[in-house]
Amino acid sequence: MKKSVILLTSLLLLASCQEGTKNINKNEIEDNSFSSSYVTGELGDFDLVSPGNLVELDEITTFSWTASSNAETYSLEICASEYFISDIDIIDYYIERNIAATSFAVKASFSTQNTYYYWRVFAYNHDGSKQSTSTYSFYYKAPEVEEVKFDLGDADDWTLHSLGSHADISIDNSNFFENDEESLVISFKGEDMKRGIIESDGWIVVTKTIEKSIYGTDALYFNMYYAGQDASVFIRLVDKDNEYWYCPVQISNNAKQTVFLKFTDFIQRYNDVTVANETFDYERIKYMEVVFEKTFGDGVFLISDVKAIKFDNYRDRFIEKLNYLEYDESLWVNEGYEFEKTVTNDELTLNYYSNTEGKPRIGQSGYGFAKIYVGRYFFGGDSIKVKVRYNGSKGTNVVIRVYEEDTDRWSYRIPFSLLDEGEYKELVIPFAAFMKSDILGDGKRQFYYIINLQFGLEGQYGTGDISFKDFEIVNKSDYAVETSRLVESDGMIEDFDKYQSANELYFIWETTEANKDEQMLISSAAKTGNKNVNCAQFEYKSDMEAATYTLLIETASSFSSISIDLKDNSTKSSDRRLSHVSVYSADAAIYLHLVSGEMYKYSLGNIERVWTRYDLPFSSFTLANEEDISIPSPIVAKNIIKIGISLQFFYYDIYGNPLPMYSISNAVYLDNIKFGQADEYSAQEIERVVRMNGNIALVDDFEGYEDSDDLSSYWLDGRTYEYQKKELSNEVSSEGGNHSAKLQYKSNSESISYYCAPTFDQNVVGRGLRVSIKANGLATIYINLYITIGSNTLQYRYTVANASESWTEYSIGLNNFVAVDTTTYRPDANDIKNISRISFGAVQSGDATASLYDFYIDNLMFDYSLSYTDLSTRTIQ
């Protein structure tokens, strides 16, 4: 019976071979002993025919080879590795066995293109196998495509990562972007972003399978919209060998955006994901992910018309080097001056005129701009390079302004003092050096899609011209300077006195981006001491990761401590739910980085709102990266390679729960960072502070100055006219002590401006201002108060007409100060401590000789006993 079964099985196998349905390999028969159909004998030499060696193929079709004598079957192997590796997923490998003929049409697809493949053939019979004489290779060329669309599919096609925060996913068919395309909608609530899980709070990932070959493309394109509280958005792509690559997206809050992400700008993710060849093999995309990180408020995100593109096809949408002739001059808008323009492809010249020239001028403000509508993107850099020149009258600053997609406007000021008349000066200005000018959007510096560029000046009342040439987008790193600061034996690390403009800071100091409001400025107004030139102003955003600023240093001297002068100027959020918050100063920390890898930290806590010198012995620092250091090295000055300062503040409600405000432009002043020999911690106040004495808060009685130079260290020039002059004077009233301030102006001319920036104790209140003034009976004196409310600085003015020739005390209730801007906010007694500047101006008309005159001020103070409506004068003998 057993023999009958074996015989039947053998006959069935023989019949199968004879019908040609499949050739049977000896390994498939295994220990079957029936051999009447086996081919035996020595296998003959044979070789490959087609495709020929080293040919280029657009498609993989039929392979052929010569016959091997005594061969029963053949096998065909194709591999992207010359070693024919078959067990690694990321290497394409193909084999076809039991081929009866000497050719075979391959139907399989190969995921990797634009690469070489290797192929060989084996001949088989009952006695063994033999490889073809040669191994050939061919180059599998991918078809070049202009763009490949990534279909959004249905909402169910997108998967929400289970470990992240919750979000709702839907498809919108309303043609929101007016592109005849549907949109993917991701929406979320703030309460869903905070579950107390550090790893996943504020983290959302939605994923869709793509499986697209995109050979020939080099960038990703899509339409996007985001509205909500602060968010960080990334696009993540998974390539053919399962590596994760991500690119951040610049968000213009509440603005429809078109986004371009070049594949070369994608960064590899390493944590908890596949790492293969560490090359972005973007020729084939397996998955696409939209990722939110550090997102803690409400928000809605739409994305549409996603496709891989060839970037060069869209190059006309970007500004690389500005060609002024590409923009219709009839659409340009003048502001302030009616400029006469001279335009070439690479140069813009603006002519301006004084009032006496009889030329058209729109306003009397002393500033003006030519606004060029560009409607294009900045791309491929982080800085603007431009050459600037002036001829004729000097003003205060030449100004470049950038108006973003979300209607935020940013300004960079170039002091005329940095320019030589008639000669171009080349400047490289990092985007980050542009200051907030008019924040109507989200207050974040995208510098991506630019609505218009504005070229102009301020503080200019004469005649001349300014020129802008060779405006282009560049990378700051291509213009880097030596950034390591050599610390000499005096220990001075940084006093900020040598900087002429803010952009120099960005080549010396490094900033993080985690806080999203890192900004560095140079300030002469906020400095302290009559021999000091500048201080720095570093900014941060509340309720975010710390803004950290670092400086590379080197020293060979021996020190045991570091000191730094700090003054907080953070602005309290105006949200009524925070009325209980009395301390809103930055929480600051100082860092010391050693060459051996240690990072030491000293937490200062909430820093003072007056200039304070902090002395910090090295021994008081603690190791901040202990988890990375097994045996820490002690702090030795010569081993310190970098110092840093971090700034951060969080708001909490009355119950102690987080209440994020994301308030921007919180400032901290710093100066005189220095190594020393202190052996214990100290914090010493180093500036004069306006404090209450009964009902009076005395700002200045001019008795504490040694001379006019000393006066000029506290009272500064708000404008740069040659007729501005201030002196410490002995001209006083009977109540004036020994000194007053003598301030010069010019008749029939623009108003001068003299100002002080006092520091107020937080207990200062006042319902009105008192000041003693003496003039010539013809002058009009302007008294200006600049009050910071939330993130805005509001200007209020009282005008003294025909200021008396006799010393006169003016008592002015706050209600008599008129808002210069359009605000309806009325300051009250508690806002006095929020005054950032007090200034005096003077004009006098009707004098054709344009003569020089003086007026005097003394005993400047705020008085809580006044009423808001008080308005009176008192002559002082």
Side-chain angles (χ1 to χ4, degrees):
M1 182 67 180
K2 182 177 181 181
K3 289 182 180 180
S4 299
V5 171
I6 293 174
L7 178 58
L8 178 59
T9 303
S10 300
L11 290 172
L12 289 172
L13 287 171
L14 178 59
S16 175
C17 292
Q18 290 173 338
E19 290 172 6
T21 57
K22 185 174 183 181
N23 291 303
I24 303 303
N25 187 285
K26 64 171 184 168
N27 294 326
E28 294 176 313
I29 300 173
E30 296 180 346
D31 54 354
N32 189 331
S33 59
F34 182 79
S35 59
S36 62
S37 66
Y38 290 162
V39 178
T40 60
E42 182 178 356
L43 290 163
D45 293 338
F46 69 105
D47 211 349
L48 309 180
V49 176
S50 179
N53 194 29
L54 301 179
V55 299
E56 183 178 287
L57 300 180
D58 292 327
E59 61 178 351
I60 297 176
T61 55
T62 300
F63 291 74
S64 64
W65 50 94
T66 61
S68 170
S69 57
N70 297 319
E72 182 179 13
T73 61
Y74 299 91
S75 67
L76 168 65
E77 277 186 281
I78 307 171
C79 187
S81 166
E82 61 182 312
Y83 302 107
F84 291 89
I85 299 172
S86 61
D87 57 353
I88 298 179
D89 289 341
I90 63 174
I91 297 177
D92 283 324
Y93 175 83
Y94 172 86
I95 185 169
E96 182 70 27
R97 296 183 175 91
N98 301 322
I99 303 172
T102 56
S103 66
F104 186 81
V106 175
K107 303 296 185 183
S109 62
F110 293 79
S111 62
T112 305
Q113 294 173 273
N114 285 346
T115 192
Y116 279 95
Y117 281 84
Y118 301 85
W119 69 285
R120 64 188 181 186
V121 175
F122 282 86
Y124 297 92
N125 66 14
H126 181 68
D127 291 335
S129 64
K130 189 168 190 173
Q131 183 180 337
S132 55
T133 304
S134 303
T135 296
Y136 280 2
S137 66
F138 60 89
Y139 186 76
Y140 185 23
K141 181 175 176 57
E144 292 290 325
V145 295
E146 298 296 312
E147 58 186 48
V148 178
K149 189 174 184 61
F150 291 2
D151 295 324
L152 294 179
D154 298 325
D156 292 343
D157 294 330
W158 293 83
T159 303
L160 178 67
H161 199 295
S162 60
L163 296 182
S165 299
H166 175 73
D168 293 315
I169 302 171
S170 61
I171 296 294
D172 176 76
N173 295 305
S174 69
N175 196 22
F176 178 78
F177 293 98
E178 299 179 348
N179 58 1
D180 296 324
E181 299 280 344
E182 58 190 12
S183 303
L184 176 74
V185 183
I186 304 171
S187 58
F188 42 85
K189 297 291 185 182
E191 56 264 29
D192 292 329
M193 313 309 281
K194 293 183 177 180
R195 299 182 296 171
I197 306 173
I198 296 176
E199 294 81 7
S200 63
D201 276 358
W203 181 68
I204 298 170
V205 179
V206 293
T207 305
K208 185 182 186 298
T209 300
I210 299 297
E211 292 295 353
K212 293 278 189 179
S213 292
I214 57 172
Y215 287 91
T217 67
D218 57 7
L220 193 68
Y221 167 103
F222 53 89
N223 293 319
M224 185 190 82
Y225 172 85
Y226 177 78
Q229 290 180 290
D230 198 88
S232 295
V233 179
F234 300 82
I235 297 298
R236 202 155 64 190
L237 300 175
V238 180
D239 66 10
K240 69 185 184 70
D241 56 359
N242 297 313
E243 290 181 322
Y244 284 70
W245 297 82
Y246 68 93
C247 188
V249 178
Q250 292 278 24
I251 297 177
S252 293
N253 202 347
N254 202 28
K256 295 179 182 180
Q257 301 175 244
T258 299
V259 178
F260 298 84
L261 304 178
K262 293 191 78 170
F263 292 144
T264 52
D265 292 333
F266 277 69
I267 303 166
Q268 186 170 10
R269 176 181 170 88
Y270 288 96
N271 294 337
D272 304 321
V273 295
T274 299
V275 177
N277 63 358
E278 299 187 67
T279 300
F280 188 12
D281 302 304
Y282 54 79
E283 297 88 353
R284 185 167 185 85
I285 301 300
K286 290 188 173 182
Y287 304 99
M288 173 183 170
E289 296 183 334
V290 181
V291 182
F292 295 82
E293 290 186 357
K294 303 167 188 172
T295 303
F296 296 111
D298 297 351
V300 59
F301 175 90
L302 286 84
I303 188 170
S304 176
D305 196 17
V306 185
K307 53 191 175 185
I309 62 166
K310 191 185 293 292
F311 182 77
D312 278 347
N313 292 344
Y314 294 81
R315 192 167 291 277
D316 61 344
R317 299 197 188 187
F318 298 90
I319 297 174
E320 295 177 80
K321 186 169 184 178
L322 190 64
N323 182 346
Y324 298 98
L325 294 179
E326 289 183 352
Y327 306 99
D328 185 354
E329 191 175 343
S330 67
L331 300 178
W332 296 13
V333 176
N334 282 331
E335 174 188 345
Y337 285 95
E338 192 62 46
F339 289 110
E340 293 181 358
K341 308 177 187 70
T342 303
V343 183
T344 66
N345 64 334
D346 64 349
E347 183 178 30
L348 169 67
T349 298
L350 304 175
N351 291 278
Y352 50 88
Y353 302 94
S354 69
N355 284 341
T356 59
E357 295 287 317
K359 300 283 187 177
R361 206 177 113 193
I362 298 173
Q364 306 295 320
S365 55
Y367 78 94
F369 296 88
K371 301 179 180 180
I372 303 174
Y373 175 80
V374 292
R376 293 189 181 181
Y377 299 83
F378 283 172
F379 198 88
D382 58 12
S383 303
I384 292 170
K385 185 174 76 169
V386 64
K387 296 175 182 175
V388 182
R389 179 187 66 186
Y390 85 95
N391 291 293
S393 175
K394 276 188 176 183
T396 305
N397 297 304
V398 176
V399 186
I400 299 173
R401 299 197 301 204
V402 177
Y403 192 66
E404 290 182 321
E405 183 172 30
D406 64 349
T407 68
D408 284 341
R409 190 178 69 200
W410 304 83
S411 296
Y412 184 78
R413 290 171 169 81
I414 307 161
F416 271 89
S417 59
L418 292 183
L419 306 175
D420 296 322
E421 184 176 6
E423 296 183 11
Y424 273 108
K425 184 178 184 67
E426 184 175 275
L427 301 169
V428 177
I429 311 166
F431 296 160
F434 279 74
M435 298 170 54
K436 300 173 182 67
S437 175
D438 189 18
I439 302 303
L440 299 175
D442 59 7
K444 291 191 296 185
R445 194 183 299 99
Q446 282 88 28
F447 275 52
Y448 189 59
Y449 184 81
I450 309 302
I451 294 177
N452 64 55
L453 292 171
Q454 304 176 15
F455 299 90
L457 41 71
E458 62 183 7
Q460 175 58 265
Y461 299 93
T463 298
D465 64 70
I466 53 174
S467 299
F468 303 87
K469 183 179 175 65
D470 295 338
F471 183 106
E472 59 184 309
I473 307 303
V474 299
N475 284 301
K476 180 182 71 173
S477 58
D478 294 335
Y479 300 86
V481 296
E482 179 58 47
T483 58
S484 183
R485 184 62 52 82
L486 179 63
V487 182
E488 306 287 357
S489 57
D490 65 355
M492 181 59 70
I493 299 171
E494 178 70 280
D495 62 7
F496 300 100
D497 285 348
K498 296 181 178 65
Y499 296 101
Q500 294 182 302
S501 60
N503 72 311
E504 296 175 72
L505 282 169
Y506 289 88
F507 288 90
I508 305 298
W509 284 79
E510 298 176 3
T511 66
T512 57
E513 295 181 356
N515 184 262
K516 303 183 183 179
D517 199 34
E518 292 85 351
Q519 174 94 50
M520 296 186 289
L521 305 171
I522 290 295
S523 174
S524 60
K527 65 183 177 63
T528 182
N530 62 352
K531 294 183 179 180
N532 196 8
V533 178
N534 296 318
C535 68
Q537 177 178 318
F538 288 0
E539 297 186 354
Y540 70 96
K541 189 174 190 176
S542 72
D543 304 292
M544 295 292 294
E545 288 190 24
T548 303
Y549 302 84
T550 56
L551 175 69
L552 296 174
I553 66 167
E554 55 180 300
T555 181
S557 302
S558 177
F559 302 101
S560 61
S561 65
I562 186 171
S563 67
I564 183 170
D565 297 348
L566 293 172
K567 175 182 178 177
D568 186 85
N569 196 41
S570 302
T571 56
K572 181 181 175 180
S573 170
S574 57
D575 193 296
R576 294 180 180 178
R577 293 172 294 175
L578 298 172
S579 59
H580 62 285
V581 175
S582 58
V583 176
Y584 48 92
S585 298
D587 189 344
I590 307 299
Y591 291 88
L592 303 175
H593 299 255
L594 305 190
V595 66
S596 49
E598 291 83 359
M599 180 173 65
Y600 284 92
K601 176 182 179 181
Y602 188 92
S603 295
L604 288 169
N606 297 107
I607 57 177
E608 300 296 331
R609 298 184 67 82
V610 301
W611 274 110
T612 302
R613 178 160 297 156
Y614 296 90
D615 283 305
L616 311 172
F618 292 161
S619 59
S620 62
F621 282 75
T622 57
L623 192 63
N625 59 341
E626 187 173 1
E627 66 278 4
D628 301 324
I629 306 296
S630 56
I631 304 177
S633 302
I635 303 175
V636 178
K638 66 179 182 180
N639 292 333
I640 299 174
I641 59 170
K642 185 164 65 174
I643 64 168
I645 178 170
S646 68
L647 308 170
Q648 188 175 38
F649 183 79
F650 290 96
Y651 282 104
Y652 296 89
D653 66 19
I654 196 170
Y655 304 106
N657 301 311
L659 187 61
M661 292 289 109
Y662 303 116
S663 57
I664 62 175
S665 302
N666 295 285
V668 171
Y669 300 116
L670 64 159
D671 205 353
N672 300 324
I673 308 172
K674 187 176 182 180
F675 282 142
Q677 304 294 346
D679 55 8
E680 62 181 22
Y681 167 85
S682 66
Q684 178 184 1
E685 191 175 295
I686 57 172
E687 73 166 321
R688 52 192 271 183
V689 181
V690 178
R691 292 187 166 92
M692 293 297 293
N693 183 6
N695 286 318
I696 300 299
L698 179 65
V699 176
D700 210 339
D701 59 7
F702 302 96
E703 300 303 314
Y705 302 107
E706 295 180 3
D707 51 32
S708 293
D709 287 341
D710 196 12
L711 173 72
S712 295
S713 71
Y714 191 74
W715 283 86
L716 305 174
D717 294 328
R719 291 177 174 173
T720 57
Y721 307 132
E722 72 279 0
Y723 49 87
Q724 291 210 160
K725 182 181 178 182
K726 53 188 178 294
E727 297 178 2
L728 188 64
S729 172
N730 295 323
E731 173 65 40
V732 294
S733 69
S734 60
E735 299 175 359
N738 297 313
H739 297 117
S740 67
K742 178 182 177 182
L743 307 174
Q744 184 172 277
Y745 67 98
K746 191 175 184 178
S747 64
N748 272 27
S749 300
E750 302 289 345
S751 175
I752 44 75
S753 175
Y754 304 99
Y755 73 92
C756 66
T759 298
F760 289 90
D761 183 84
Q762 292 302 289
N763 294 320
V764 169
V765 290
R767 297 191 183 97
L769 177 141
R770 293 186 190 273
V771 62
S772 298
I773 299 176
K774 178 183 178 182
N776 62 359
L778 300 173
T780 296
I781 309 297
Y782 303 121
I783 306 173
N784 298 288
L785 306 179
Y786 295 83
I787 303 178
T788 300
I789 306 296
S791 60
N792 299 313
T793 298
L794 309 177
Q795 181 184 356
Y796 297 88
R797 174 178 291 170
Y798 180 76
T799 302
V800 179
N802 303 117
S804 175
E805 297 179 80
S806 302
W807 276 107
T808 302
E809 182 186 67
Y810 294 84
S811 298
I812 311 163
L814 286 181
N815 285 357
N816 295 291
F817 282 85
V818 178
V820 175
D821 301 315
T822 57
T823 181
T824 58
Y825 182 85
R826 297 302 309 166
D828 62 25
N830 292 309
D831 289 321
I832 298 303
K833 58 177 168 285
N834 295 321
I835 291 177
S836 59
R837 179 182 294 192
I838 304 171
S839 74
F840 287 82
V843 294
Q844 182 177 318
S845 60
D847 184 353
T849 62
S851 302
L852 296 175
Y853 294 95
D854 300 312
F855 70 99
Y856 301 83
I857 62 172
D858 202 357
N859 295 329
L860 175 64
M861 67 189 74
F862 288 95
D863 189 343
Y864 186 65
S865 66
L866 292 174
S867 72
Y868 288 120
T869 57
D870 273 344
L871 183 61
S872 63
T873 60
R874 179 174 66 91
T875 302
I876 308 171
Q877 301 300 322

